[in-house]
Structures are given as structure tokens and as C-alpha cells.
């Protein structure tokens, strides 16, 4: 999912959601107020109240918008290099070299995910978000199998496992001192994929194409 | 970690921590007050205030006590059946058949873990807790290698990965509708351990001993 989805908002709705994103990233969820979002949306704070009833409405609209943008990129996109794309997805989700602003937003995401324990609207969003990522990974694996480049395996099972592991890593990062463990996890994930998913013939292959590159 | 660690509290401190545990389990963290814990500790609510400055002091003392109890069980305990113990640990951490009260406490743990994003005392506790579980798994794997029952692998790397995956699963459970994905994750984890950890000769072996059984 692109980190600069809000770099060039188009129209009032996108501008309001971009302001919500910046507030979430910079201030976190707990102390966020709809007033603060109104102020961040400089054009006309009152417009925010006219479109959204509560802070949670705004937050969920913002998350939903980001997810939709990600989904729209995937439509009709051929998977020409399944292993390369999978490797870039893992790198995107587990690299320890990430920009400070993205790191801040990932911390806020941990807070927001916890809202889903007690709030059905958040639980509904995160269920859908998990499903999108599972399908994204599952489609890559199915493409690899279809192209004879991956072993016969269970695409959905592998995808659920990969998404659960990367979710665990994203949740552990801001709640655990230090990140030395992250390299261990990436190495073992690689060993798992070598054993379970990649065929010998794909070893070392990770040529990229422009579609794959632009997507994350 | 035993779920009935507070079934027979011994002395004032343990009774206060047992009351804290029951409140956390039944009410969650957000709405918990030190007053409610005082009321749950029927003997003398004012004693709670004399021993603990804040709700967070109490919560962290409660979590720390549970972790210490778990650690004390491990000291000097021989690992006679590493595969059986590992399988029971995975079952304990990812079974979909768990008592309602434990499920409630696991939801509260998701809330508490998120406190670690912004609160150093919680981050310090969860870092230590992760380390205890990683060492627990790593020691099992090293024992299996030493006994010639597991492959030569990286015990710490496998342990960090297993703990991250199970953490991801425990966090996803109360924040995602439905648990159909959990069986997929268990199946793939089994496939990973077969490929990376277990030796052919250990296949199907999972005799148990009393130590292993009593521990979880």
C-alpha cells in the first residue's frame, strides 16, 4: 500500500481524509479530536462536521479510502514476477529501514487495530483489510503455481500465515524495545518460503517489472 | 502460562493481584479504576492504595507476577519430550477451543500491549515477556537438536518467528470477524516445523511426560 496515497488529494473529500491521515500519523488516535482534524483541514473546518458525525467516522473513512486505493491498483494487473512481488511485499512490511513518518503511522495503526476488540466498525474494517492482503498474497502464490515457478501448495493457507506473521511483526515493533529479532524473522520466513513455496528453479530469480515496482 | 495462576492466592499481595486480574479479565483495561480493584479486593480496599500508586502500577505488577510464576515453573525442569512440549505450547497459544474467561483475558492483553506504544513501563514488561517466551521455545528446540531429534537449525531464529506468528494470531483473534484462518495458520506452522525443525525420525512422536503436562 503506497505511503504517499495522500500526497496529492483531489477534491474536498480527499482533502479532509488527507488531513485526518496527517493528524493520525502525527498525534496518534487517543488524543485526536474532530476539532484538530478541522483545523488541519485549513480550507473550512466546518465542512468536516458537515460530512462526518464523529472522529471514528472520519478515521474509518480514512482507512477505507487507503485500502480502496490499494485495491484499485490491483485490478487487471498481471502478475508477471510472483516471487519478486512477494519479496517486495515482505520487504515493505518488515524492513527495519523505514521513514520516520511511516513508522509513526504504523504505531497509530496498532492503536487503531485495538479499537476493533470492542468496536464493531473497526473490527469490520480490519477484517476486510486482512482479507484484501490475504487475497493479494494468495493471488501471487496461485500465479506462481500456474506459471510453474512455485510448488503445489495451499495459496490461502500460506497467505493467511504470511499475513498473520507480518501482522505480528508490525504489532511487536512499536511495543518491544529494539528490533534485532526482526532480521531473524525475515530469515526464517525466507527459509519457510524456500521449503514450502518456491521451486528450486526460481531460486535467486527476482527480476522486477514496472507494474510490481509502482504498486508498493 | 497457567490460566489458574490466581486460583489460590497466598497472602495480601497475591490477593490484591488476583483482584486486579479478575477486574482486567471481566472489565478490560480502558474503564478499569483503582477503586474497582479496591472493591474487588474485599478484605480492605484501602490496602490497595497503600501498596500501589496507580492503576498502571497494579496492572504491571499483576502481569509481572504471572510471568514470574511461569518462569519459576521452568527452572531445573528437564525437557524430555521437546516435540510434544512444542506442540502443546502451540496448541495452548492458538487453539480455537478456549474457555470464555481466558478469551476475555486475551482480549484485555491486546489492549494492554497497545499501551506499550506510548508507555515505557508497559514496553519494558512486554519486551521481557517476549524474551521469556522466545527463550522457552529456543530451549525446547536446542534440547531437540542436542537429543538428535530435531534438525540443525537456528533455535533463536525459529523461536522469534514462532513467537511473532503466535503473537500475530493472538492479536488478530479479537480484532477480526471469525477464526477460520486460524486452522490454516496452524497447518502451515506444522508444515514449516516439519521442513525446518523436526527430523523425519521424530515424525508422529509426541509422548508426553508429567512435567510437560503440568506446565501449561
Amino acid at each position: 500500500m503506497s505511503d504517499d496515497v495522500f500526497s496529492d488529494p483531489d477534491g474536498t473529500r480527499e482533502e479532509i481524509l488527507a488531513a485526518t491521515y496527517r493528524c493520525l500519523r502525527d498525534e496518534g488516535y487517543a488524543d485526536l479530536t474532530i476539532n484538530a482534524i478541522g483545523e488541519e483541514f485549513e480550507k473550512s473546518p466546518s465542512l468536516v462536521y458537515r460530512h462526518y458525525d464523529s472522529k471514528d467516522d472520519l478515521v474509518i473513512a480514512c482507512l477505507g479510502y487507503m485500502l480502496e486505493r490499494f485495491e484499485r491498483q490491483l485490478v487487471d494487473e498481471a502478475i508477471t514476477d510472483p516471487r519478486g512481488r512477494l519479496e517486495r511485499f515482505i520487504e515493505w512490511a518488515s524492513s527495519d529501514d523505514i521513514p520516520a513518518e511511516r513508522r509513526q503511522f504504523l504505531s497509530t495503526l496498532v492503536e487503531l487495530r485495538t479499537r476493533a476488540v470492542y468496536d464493531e466498525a473497526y473490527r469490520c474494517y480490519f477484517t476486510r483489510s486482512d482479507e484484501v492482503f490475504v487475497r493479494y498474497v494468495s493471488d501471487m502464490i496461485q500465479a506462481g503455481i500456474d506459471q510453474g515457478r512455485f510448488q503445489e501448495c495451499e495459496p490461502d493457507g500460506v497467505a493467511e500465515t504470511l499475513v498473520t506473521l507480518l501482522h505480528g511483526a508490525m504489532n511487536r515493533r512499536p511495543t518491544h524495545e529494539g528490533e534485532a529479532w526482526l532480521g531473524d524473522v525475515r530469515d526464517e520466513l525466507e527459509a519457510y518460503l524456500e521449503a514450502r513455496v518456491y521451486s528450486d528453479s526460481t531460486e535467486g530469480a527476482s527480476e522486477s517489472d514496472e507494474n510490481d515496482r509502482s504498486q508498493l
Side-chain angles (χ1 to χ4, degrees), chain A residues 107-207:
Chain A
S107 292
T108 302
L109 265 185
V110 168
E111 251 189 300
L112 295 176
R113 180 101 194 189
T114 298
R115 306 280 315 155
V117 175
Y118 302 108
D119 185 321
E120 199 179 339
Y122 281 94
R123 193 157 58 248
C124 181
Y125 167 76
F126 282 107
T127 301
R128 201 170 83 72
S129 161
D130 283 356
E131 284 165 359
V132 167
F133 283 102
V134 165
R135 197 169 60 244
Y136 175 61
V137 175
S138 178
D139 285 351
M140 275 187 250
I141 293 168
Q142 189 61 57
I145 296 171
D146 293 344
Q147 293 166 24
R149 301 162 99 176
F150 288 176
Q151 301 171 43
E152 288 293 338
C153 58
E154 298 292 338
D156 288 348
V158 173
E160 291 286 7
T161 306
L162 210 130
V163 165
T164 303
L165 178 68
L166 294 175
H167 172 66
M170 288 173 85
N171 189 281
R172 256 187 104 182
R173 287 173 84 143
T175 60
H176 182 108
E177 303 283 1
E179 297 193 349
W181 55 275
L182 200 54
D184 282 338
V185 170
R186 276 197 304 268
D187 289 347
E188 284 302 315
L189 175 55
E190 177 70 18
Y192 160 71
L193 292 171
E194 287 289 354
R196 182 80 175 155
V197 175
Y198 301 147
S199 298
D200 285 350
S201 60
T202 64
E203 207 172 325
S206 86
E207 76 271 27

Side-chain angles (χ1 to χ4, degrees), chain A residues 29-101:
Chain A
Y29 172 84
D31 297 330
L32 185 69
T33 60
I34 195 164
N35 283 16
I37 298 167
E39 279 165 33
E40 178 71 26
F41 175 63
E42 290 166 349
K43 208 190 263 175
S44 165
S46 64
L47 263 181
V48 174
Y49 305 94
R50 207 179 301 159
H51 285 80
Y52 297 92
D53 287 338
S54 71
K55 151 180 160 177
D56 287 317
D57 277 357
L58 262 167
V59 170
I60 287 172
C62 174
L63 294 173
Y65 176 80
M66 292 172 79
L67 191 62
E68 274 158 33
R69 281 281 296 254
F70 176 67
E71 281 185 284
R72 251 185 287 156
Q73 287 180 318
L74 304 182
V75 173
D76 297 329
E77 192 175 87
I79 302 172
T80 55
D81 173 22
R83 178 164 176 166
R85 187 184 286 194
L86 190 54
E87 287 173 345
R88 279 190 295 284
F89 174 65
I90 292 167
E91 172 72 17
W92 170 78
S94 69
S95 166
D96 30 32
D97 180 25
I98 52 175
E101 290 195 338

